[in-house]
Amino acid sequence: MKIKGLLLAAGLVATIMGANAQKGVDNGTQYGSGEDSIRCLTNISLFTPYAKVKNYADAYTPWKAAYDECPAATKDLYLYGVQIVNWQISEEKDPAKQDALIEELMGVYDKRVKYFGDDTRYGKDWIIARKAQDYIRLKGDKLDPTIVYNWLTPIVDEYKDKTEALGISWYMFASHKMLATNPDHKGKYVEDFLKCSAIFDAQLREAEASNNEKEVTNLQALKSGIESGFASSGAADCETLESIYAQKIEANKSDIDFLKEAITLFRRVGCQESETYFTASGYAHKLQPTMESAFGLGRQALKKNDYDAADKFFVEAASLATDDTTKSDIYYTIAAISYDRNSYSKARQYCQKAIEANPKACKAYILIGNMYAATAGSIYDDPVMRKCVYYAVVDKFEAARRADSSCASEASSLIARFSNHFPTTEEIFMHPELEKGKRITIGGWIGESTTIR
């Protein structure tokens, strides 16, 4: 009697569970309910060990069942699902069936967005970036860049500076591919480049501020990639920028964000003699003075030979610069202009400011050395002492070589050239006050101590 009762009770429980069973995909729960929840958990426990050891053939059936019936159960459905379907694609030889599997793989990414797209670390932007990457890899020469572009455009628009970096890179890849087949896309491609470059700049600043060297390296490589693509695209010319922005600047003269983007693009492409660039800088400076707008107005003043105004705007630009490298570059610009006008003291002053802002500013050391060389003949009447000035000249070129390897070749060449101007051993012998290894101070406007060689 007891056994009969137990069997009856067990049958009743099974009946109740069967009656209440519902798949997670139907009721919106993680595992479903009743027997369906048990089946979901069972299938997950079956496919996971196989997938971990890359036995995708045995992992497929239980994975597919869980993927279809309880898609919100675990992210592992998608982590391993991508691997499983990629394996199927690699095994399939029929092109039509391969294409169908690629579509299925894209669906895996889409379903992950649906159920796990709000993940704080691996959210929608991260997922779509990997979807684009797999699509591009698998389609090869047959890919349709418009598809990738349409996937990533809303992502970039939504996430902006927080967009996953890989997604930005593939977005620009798609835009570049579209330009190759559609010249009318040029204007949009230029805008895309400016937008994505600005995003990378913001992400680099954040990575540098947190001393995340690995992320800085990654971002620099990705940014370099889109810059190389832009440089080789044929879109990076002043005539194109003029045709795109000439009318837009006037229409957007109160839109500071638009003006900033335009100014940045003209500067990066090297179109800083453009009237459109000057106009945009003027409008932007009235709305919100920035380094970019002040620098643009400085360039305009320089073109008009208004050096006082140019100095004023360049100094303002340096004060508004948010990073030391840019500040240093602007100071060097002021120094170079002063050098061209034979204002050597002023040029040296701004070279020193450039070095103070960025110790790697090797060009500033070279400029000072060239100024010392240019005035060596006017410091002393004594011909041997005039030759001693070249010790100070070479000091600057040696400093340039130490400061940054980018100047090493030029600096070495200058050192070899101007070392030939040093006093000879015989000439030094005839000057008792001069002794090899002794420190002397070079007179005149130079006023620096150096060592006799």
Side-chain angles (χ1 to χ4, degrees):
M1 188 68 180
K2 278 186 178 181
I3 294 173
K4 276 189 174 182
L6 287 171
L7 290 173
L8 182 62
L12 182 60
V13 170
T15 301
I16 293 170
M17 287 185 69
N20 292 333
Q22 197 170 22
K23 298 172 185 175
V25 70
D26 295 326
N27 66 10
T29 61
Q30 187 175 6
Y31 300 109
S33 58
E35 290 179 349
D36 287 329
S37 67
I38 295 172
R39 185 169 60 253
C40 172
L41 291 167
T42 300
N43 282 322
I44 290 171
S45 66
L46 287 173
F47 90 75
T48 304
Y50 288 128
K52 282 183 176 179
V53 296
K54 303 186 188 304
N55 181 357
Y56 300 128
D58 289 331
Y60 176 74
T61 298
W63 167 77
K64 188 68 164 64
Y67 172 77
D68 288 340
E69 295 179 7
C70 49
T74 171
K75 279 189 288 188
D76 283 353
L77 287 169
Y78 306 98
L79 173 65
Y80 292 118
V82 165
Q83 296 176 18
I84 290 168
V85 181
N86 263 305
W87 168 77
Q88 290 180 309
I89 294 168
S90 68
E91 294 292 305
E92 182 57 62
K93 305 304 178 187
D94 185 311
K97 291 180 180 179
Q98 271 193 343
D99 285 340
L101 285 168
I102 291 171
E103 285 300 311
E104 184 175 344
L105 178 62
M106 300 301 104
V108 174
Y109 284 110
D110 290 339
K111 192 177 282 192
R112 180 171 178 176
V113 168
K114 179 178 180 180
Y115 291 101
F116 295 98
D118 59 353
D119 186 90
T120 54
R121 186 171 181 184
Y122 302 111
K124 180 167 59 176
D125 60 327
W126 188 96
I127 298 166
I128 298 301
R130 271 69 192 174
K131 174 185 178 181
Q133 180 169 261
D134 263 354
Y135 174 83
I136 291 165
R137 174 180 59 83
L138 292 166
K139 283 293 189 178
D141 294 338
K142 296 180 181 179
L143 74 90
D144 182 347
T146 305
I147 290 176
V148 177
Y149 190 77
N150 290 338
W151 287 341
L152 289 167
T153 295
I155 296 296
V156 175
D157 289 344
E158 178 181 348
Y159 286 80
K160 299 181 172 59
D161 288 356
K162 301 301 180 183
T163 306
E164 214 277 331
L166 186 65
I168 295 294
S169 180
W170 288 127
Y171 175 74
M172 280 307 303
F173 170 86
S175 189
H176 188 258
K177 285 286 186 182
M178 291 168 67
L179 174 65
T181 57
N182 178 17
D184 292 338
H185 185 67
K186 182 182 281 190
K188 190 68 179 72
Y189 172 72
V190 171
E191 292 176 10
D192 290 339
F193 170 76
L194 180 62
K195 176 168 58 179
C196 293
S197 186
I199 289 173
F200 276 138
D201 285 342
Q203 293 181 352
L204 275 165
R205 285 194 296 271
E206 185 175 343
E208 288 166 351
S210 60
N211 294 316
N212 190 338
E213 293 183 9
K214 183 178 179 180
E215 184 64 6
V216 168
T217 300
N218 177 55
L219 288 168
Q220 286 175 337
L222 291 174
K223 186 182 179 189
S224 177
I226 71 167
E227 287 175 342
S228 295
F230 185 69
S232 64
S233 68
D237 63 84
C238 300
E239 184 179 348
T240 298
L241 294 187
E242 283 285 349
S243 66
I244 292 170
Y245 283 96
Q247 299 300 319
K248 290 184 179 182
I249 296 299
E250 195 64 32
N252 292 276
K253 63 183 180 182
S254 299
D255 185 342
I256 187 62
D257 290 332
F258 177 86
L259 294 170
K260 283 180 180 178
E261 288 182 356
I263 294 166
T264 300
L265 181 57
F266 274 80
R267 179 177 61 81
R268 283 180 176 160
V269 176
C271 301
Q272 293 167 293
E273 300 299 318
S274 160
E275 288 301 322
T276 299
Y277 170 71
F278 295 146
T279 302
S281 298
Y283 285 141
H285 206 70
K286 289 177 182 177
L287 293 172
Q288 184 185 107
T290 64
M291 180 278 292
E292 293 281 9
S293 64
F295 192 84
L297 291 175
R299 296 285 300 192
Q300 184 180 37
L302 189 62
K303 188 175 182 180
K304 295 177 179 178
N305 296 323
D306 187 346
Y307 297 108
D308 290 339
D311 276 359
K312 170 193 166 188
F313 283 120
F314 285 140
V315 169
E316 183 180 6
S319 70
L320 292 169
T322 56
D323 67 277
D324 289 338
T325 300
T326 301
K327 189 186 295 289
S328 176
D329 290 343
I330 296 170
Y331 283 141
Y332 179 77
T333 298
I334 300 171
I337 294 167
S338 301
Y339 171 73
D340 285 342
R341 299 180 66 207
N342 297 321
S343 298
Y344 293 148
S345 292
K346 181 177 179 180
R348 180 173 62 178
Q349 174 192 351
Y350 281 99
C351 280
Q352 290 168 339
K353 284 179 174 289
I355 294 165
E356 183 180 346
N358 176 21
K360 291 186 176 183
C362 54
K363 289 289 187 183
Y365 284 113
I366 288 177
L367 186 57
I368 296 174
N370 283 327
M371 287 190 289
Y372 286 179
T375 58
S378 64
I379 303 297
Y380 295 106
D381 292 329
D382 185 289
V384 176
M385 289 302 298
R386 281 202 294 267
K387 290 185 177 182
C388 288
V389 176
Y390 290 99
Y391 295 140
V393 171
V394 170
D395 285 347
K396 295 305 175 185
F397 298 143
E398 288 176 341
R401 186 166 60 181
R402 290 193 302 270
D404 192 81
S405 59
S406 65
C407 287
S409 178
E410 181 182 3
S412 295
S413 177
L414 290 167
I415 289 168
R417 174 185 169 190
F418 286 104
S419 293
N420 290 327
H421 294 280
F422 290 170
T424 65
T425 303
E426 292 77 13
E427 288 172 326
I428 290 178
F429 180 77
M430 297 301 294
H431 279 68
E433 76 278 13
L434 302 179
E435 182 181 338
K436 187 175 181 181
K438 183 179 178 181
R439 298 289 291 177
I440 61 168
T441 298
I442 303 301
W445 80 278
I446 294 178
E448 287 192 17
S449 64
T450 184
T451 301
I452 298 172
R453 272 58 160 183

